[in-house]
Amino acid sequence: MATPVEGIKASSGHLRGSLVEELADGMSTFPLESGHLLKFHGIYQQDDRDHRGELARAKRTLAYSCMVRCSVPGGLLRPSQWFEIDRLADVGDGSLRLTSRQGVQYHFVHKGDLKELVGSLNRGLVTTYAACGDVVRNVMVSSAPDAGRDLGRLDSLARALANRFRPQSAAYWELWLDGERAVSAGPIAESDDTTEPIYGDSYLPRKFKVGIAWPGDNSIDVYSQDVGLVLVPNADGELGAVVLAGGGLGRTHKDATTFPRLGDPMVWVPDRDIADVVEAMVGVFRDEGNRDDRSHARLKYLVEARGIGWLRQEVERRLGRSFDDPIALPAWGRAREHLGWHHQDDGRWYLGLPVPSGRLLDTKETKRRTAVRQILERYANEIRLTPHQDLLLCGIEEADKAAVEALLTELGVPQAKHLSLSVLSSMACPALPTCGQALGEAERVLPELTDLLDQLLVERRLADVSIETRMTGCPNGCSRPYVAELGIVGRTKTAYDLFVGGSPGGSRLAVLLVESVPFSKLEDVLAPLLERFSQSRTDGEAFGDWADRLGVAALAVGLPTFQRSSVAS
Ligand code: SF4
């Protein structure tokens, strides 16, 4: 039987529901049913988890507010767009949260402020439409403007896919712009009763993720996408892409039928066919995906059950064309090579600025928001959001580099060269207090974890070792812990599952090593693990490769165990 969400979508009149009335009703919250529709508009209604218990005990209304997410194809923004995003930060809690899918989030936005926020973003040519919901989400791109990279091709493909898969319903403009569709960051539907040509009345069974990688740069974790595209020419030099399908990382504790999965290479397609092939794959998911159980409603479960060959046949049948076999991909570099100064093709420079956990705000000591704004006002000509929640400030003249560095120093903003490798190679999801799914902390305790890693690495003369580390507050895996060298996944309010063995380039899954480790006991696991790593790694061997070489059974010997349950990874 289809889930209740299916009924809500189908009867919503293409994402309208009662949202117009509810926005004007003077109440501080939306009904729960409307929450499912709000997601398509880029909005999650959440409650402050720090105060949930006490409010519930006192039988008072929970402290509701909204998270609002901007969809930024490929993470590319012009300065004018950024200035509007930045100006509006104070509508929420004063911070901007850069996401692991190259978007931007506002937290703690009150219902009464939503219209001003979303409307103003659109007037600044930034959209929130389809940033969440059961549609194709923000299209990711290997975004660094490195010399030799065809960035124009990457950017235009990201924009083309984003436009093609944006919902067509005019509900978005009716709600947030009083029908002023000319003011819009997205494509404009031609009529008010459009039939959603790609999605139909019920949209997709669940979210669908697309990412485009440049050969050698797997910063987008292309194997974790429902559809991953790697832009490689064929043997004749014709431009095109290897299409990967069936990646996805979310899982559910205590349910071994849910699991992270890497995408499989399916076909090589020429540039002219890429968008059609992706649309055919979206169509297969729309028609065949599981609408009875949202925890199994991802393309990866279809591919796992029926095989990549079945998906290829289905796509070729729908398009009436056949495609070439996938070609071998070049090796991937480390996931984060874009921090610090790098040369662009046009002779200018970009600065990769680390933003720990993607949290951009001004504090008394560190004024990151101000610094980014001023660099864009004076020195840079575009800004790119990375898949690791950092920023690339692009188009800086050689002559301005010193001034940029002086400005950062004046505003107390550390550059990559001032931070430890543990800080630079770690990422956490927001988790508590805002995420409704969070079982435990992530972003707020990440500094403690990186301090611990720094200390353990220095003690073992491993200070020059970078370990790609991802932490989440639940098994959904928003910061992609299952393709990290070290993944730390929230299991309860205070305990975490430890995964190890992902490759530095993100092309291998990590596996579960120890379950239910209390945060305060992480050192008891990490210290002996890193001790053995220091003793038995081969010259220059990465932590993830070492862990994979030894295997979980050998690594687990001598490690403490903690109240194990019967959960499979
Ligand atoms: Fe929330 Fe879980 Fe995603 Fe973290 S991984 S942001 S806790 S859903």
Side-chain angles (χ1 to χ4, degrees):
M1 202 173 86
T3 65
V5 180
E6 291 301 316
I8 293 170
K9 288 185 287 187
S11 61
S12 70
H14 294 123
L15 310 180
R16 290 176 174 85
S18 317
L19 291 173
V20 167
E21 296 78 19
E22 288 157 11
L23 271 173
D25 67 9
M27 308 287 283
S28 61
T29 61
F30 294 94
L32 283 182
E33 280 199 354
S34 297
H36 295 291
L37 298 180
L38 279 171
K39 291 177 188 174
F40 291 80
H41 298 263
I43 297 163
Y44 273 69
Q45 180 167 267
Q46 303 174 325
D47 71 289
D48 186 338
R49 303 282 304 276
D50 284 348
H51 299 289
R52 181 186 282 183
E54 81 197 51
L55 290 170
R57 279 191 295 279
K59 298 194 178 352
R60 290 174 53 200
T61 309
L62 301 184
Y64 285 104
S65 63
C66 293
M67 180 276 280
V68 179
R69 183 181 297 160
C70 306
S71 173
V72 185
L76 172 61
L77 290 162
R78 292 186 296 278
S80 59
Q81 292 172 300
W82 181 263
F83 296 145
E84 194 59 6
I85 288 174
D86 177 75
R87 183 184 74 78
L88 294 163
D90 295 323
V91 176
D93 64 358
S95 75
L96 298 170
R97 182 48 156 88
L98 311 181
T99 77
S100 57
R101 287 196 69 79
Q102 296 175 293
V104 183
Q105 288 179 181
Y106 299 87
H107 290 277
F108 293 108
V109 179
H110 294 291
K111 183 182 172 222
D113 294 328
L114 282 175
K115 197 153 179 171
E116 181 205 337
L117 176 60
V118 179
S120 297
L121 283 168
N122 274 271
R123 284 185 279 276
L125 300 184
V126 177
T127 190
T128 65
Y129 206 4
C132 323
D134 296 343
V135 286
V136 174
R137 300 276 186 94
N138 198 34
V139 177
M140 294 178 73
V141 160
S142 305
S143 56
D146 288 324
R149 185 173 302 202
D150 190 346
L151 215 55
R153 190 166 154 238
L154 281 161
D155 291 339
S156 61
L157 181 55
R159 264 197 311 276
L161 293 177
N163 289 342
R164 188 163 179 150
F165 294 112
R166 192 96 66 207
Q168 294 293 296
S169 170
Y172 186 76
W173 295 280
E174 291 166 11
L175 272 174
W176 310 110
L177 290 153
D178 297 323
E180 256 189 278
R181 285 183 289 162
V183 179
S184 168
I188 299 166
E190 286 179 3
S191 74
D192 289 353
D193 54 1
T194 173
T195 52
E196 292 289 12
I198 292 177
Y199 295 123
D201 291 345
S202 296
Y203 295 83
L204 299 181
R206 252 195 94 195
K207 60 189 167 188
F208 195 94
K209 297 179 176 179
V210 178
I212 311 164
W214 189 252
D217 176 2
N218 192 23
S219 52
I220 66 160
D221 284 320
V222 71
Y223 296 94
S224 73
Q225 312 282 339
D226 290 277
V227 173
L229 304 166
V230 188
L231 300 189
V232 284
N234 66 8
D236 298 330
E238 187 181 1
L239 296 182
V242 166
V243 180
L244 307 163
L249 299 184
R251 50 184 274 275
T252 308
H253 285 315
K254 300 184 181 173
D255 184 354
T257 66
T258 65
F259 45 82
R261 187 181 192 283
L262 298 182
D264 297 316
M266 187 178 80
V267 284
W268 180 89
V269 295
D271 268 5
R272 63 179 174 279
D273 289 325
I274 289 175
D276 287 349
V277 166
V278 177
E279 184 172 325
M281 295 165 86
V282 170
V284 173
F285 180 55
R286 175 197 61 216
D287 301 339
E288 305 281 338
N290 190 332
R291 291 185 185 262
D292 302 336
D293 175 1
R294 288 179 69 80
S295 67
H296 289 85
R298 295 298 300 273
L299 185 68
K300 67 179 175 180
Y301 295 115
L302 278 179
V303 175
E304 183 71 14
R306 304 194 198 180
I308 192 72
W310 165 81
L311 181 61
R312 175 178 178 168
Q313 273 180 5
E314 191 60 22
V315 167
E316 291 179 337
R317 185 185 68 75
R318 286 175 183 232
L319 292 175
R321 283 170 263 174
S322 59
F323 298 100
D324 292 343
D325 289 342
I327 55 183
L329 295 174
W332 301 106
R334 283 200 76 87
R336 309 200 196 206
E337 292 172 337
H338 307 122
L339 296 173
W341 288 105
H342 297 266
H343 219 188
Q344 301 179 184
D345 261 341
D346 62 5
R348 289 183 280 192
W349 294 78
Y350 76 84
L351 176 65
L353 188 69
V355 183
S357 287
R359 185 66 65 177
L360 203 63
L361 75 168
D362 280 355
T363 65
K364 205 166 159 214
E365 299 80 26
T366 306
K367 304 207 178 314
R368 271 199 185 82
R369 258 184 69 197
T370 301
V372 170
R373 192 173 57 245
Q374 292 190 357
I375 290 170
L376 277 176
E377 282 166 355
R378 299 175 195 173
Y379 307 113
N381 64 9
E382 66 182 21
I383 186 166
R384 291 175 181 267
L385 318 178
T386 80
H388 295 106
Q389 307 168 338
D390 297 314
L391 287 175
L392 308 181
L393 300 160
C394 308
I396 298 173
E397 299 286 355
E398 166 92 34
D400 291 331
K401 285 171 67 182
V404 168
E405 295 217 6
L407 192 150
L408 290 168
T409 303
E410 181 193 327
L411 294 171
V413 179
Q415 299 176 57
K417 62 188 176 186
H418 302 125
L419 296 172
S420 73
L421 287 177
S422 297
V423 171
L424 298 178
S425 56
S426 62
M427 168 159 83
C429 72
L432 296 173
T434 50
C435 178
Q437 314 259 19
L439 303 170
E441 298 280 357
E443 178 182 338
R444 292 195 297 196
V445 297
L446 187 68
E448 272 181 74
L449 174 68
T450 53
D451 282 353
L452 173 64
L453 281 171
D454 281 339
Q455 174 209 320
L456 296 175
L457 289 167
V458 167
E459 286 170 359
R460 288 158 185 80
R461 299 176 192 275
L462 295 169
D464 62 341
V465 170
S466 167
I467 300 176
E468 185 63 35
T469 302
R470 313 268 177 84
M471 185 168 200
T472 65
C474 89
N476 283 347
C478 294
S479 64
R480 304 189 290 275
Y482 309 115
V483 285
E485 293 181 89
L486 175 62
I488 300 182
V489 176
R491 185 178 189 85
T492 68
K493 198 161 172 43
T494 54
Y496 296 82
D497 289 349
L498 253 64
F499 290 76
V500 295
S503 62
S507 57
R508 185 175 60 229
L509 280 179
V511 289
L512 179 64
L513 177 63
V514 193
E515 285 177 296
S516 301
V517 187
F519 188 78
S520 59
K521 301 281 184 193
L522 279 173
E523 183 172 359
D524 296 355
V525 176
L526 293 174
L529 205 56
L530 291 173
E531 185 65 32
R532 288 174 63 193
F533 173 56
S534 73
Q535 290 166 1
S536 67
R537 75 188 285 229
T538 57
D539 193 24
E541 190 175 28
F543 176 77
D545 292 340
W546 169 82
D548 179 64
R549 178 166 63 81
L550 266 64
V552 166
L555 289 174
V557 173
L559 292 182
T561 56
F562 304 88
Q563 211 185 2
R564 297 176 70 91
S565 74
S566 58
V567 175
S569 65

